[in-house]
Amino acid sequence: FAQPTTSVRQAPSTNLQAWPNVAVHSKDATDSVLESTDIIYVNAGATSPPKSWLSALSIGGRLLFPLVPGKKEQGAMLLLTRKRSGFAAKFITSAKFYPCFGASEYALGLSEAFRVGDMRHVQSFKREGPPDDSCWYAANGWWLSTTPIAD
């Protein structure tokens, strides 16, 4: 058998080196302070977005991650966009992902919210104040609201 002289599989930083505006960091982003950024894409199911992800978003920045109730349950891709007055929120599509270590615990009530609530009505993500009548789901000091944020 002939051994290949070059690796077909390369590190992400090598594959993306043609784009100087892209940086690849190999670290746990759930408990690290992240630099300010315009886009965060998470490809593992989270039951709650870590504060580090939210804090890193610049105004207009977007966070796309799978919000899932638990390891084997159906969730949905949630897009958060940071505005001056808070976070706009929109579910993009249903999703089922492997858990995101550091951001995945069982989310009590989230399965029920996906089952009985219409996720298409979610318009904002809130971290301030107690949930009001517009609450679609609440947990861990944050909640999803069916009311849009003022911008």
Side-chain angles (χ1 to χ4, degrees):
F1 293 101
Q3 295 292 329
T5 56
T6 59
S7 173
V8 174
R9 186 174 174 180
Q10 298 177 338
S13 56
T14 302
N15 292 334
L16 298 170
Q17 67 187 2
W19 292 274
N21 60 324
V22 174
V24 176
H25 303 278
S26 179
K27 65 181 182 177
D28 181 351
T30 62
D31 66 358
S32 301
V33 174
L34 303 176
E35 295 178 30
S36 180
T37 188
D38 294 327
I39 298 172
I40 298 174
Y41 171 73
V42 180
N43 199 24
T47 55
S48 183
K51 290 180 182 178
S52 60
W53 298 353
L54 301 168
S55 299
L57 288 178
S58 56
I59 301 297
R62 293 158 295 168
L63 164 61
L64 181 64
F65 72 100
L67 180 65
V68 297
K71 292 181 181 179
K72 297 182 180 184
E73 296 184 67
Q74 186 79 21
M77 293 297 289
L78 180 60
L79 175 64
L80 300 180
T81 304
R82 187 174 206 156
K83 307 285 186 179
R84 294 197 188 283
S85 59
F87 292 90
K90 178 182 181 180
F91 282 109
I92 304 300
T93 187
S94 295
K96 197 172 198 180
F97 279 80
Y98 287 102
C100 178
F101 295 107
S104 183
E105 301 171 0
Y106 184 74
L108 185 65
L110 186 54
S111 292
E112 182 75 6
F114 280 121
R115 195 169 39 258
V116 300
D118 189 343
M119 67 182 182
R120 295 175 297 178
H121 295 299
V122 170
Q123 296 188 58
S124 58
F125 173 91
K126 302 190 182 249
R127 296 189 290 177
E128 302 84 27
D132 60 24
D133 291 341
S134 70
C135 181
W136 185 82
Y137 173 74
N140 302 327
W142 61 270
W143 53 290
L144 293 170
S145 171
T146 57
T147 303
I149 61 165
D151 193 38

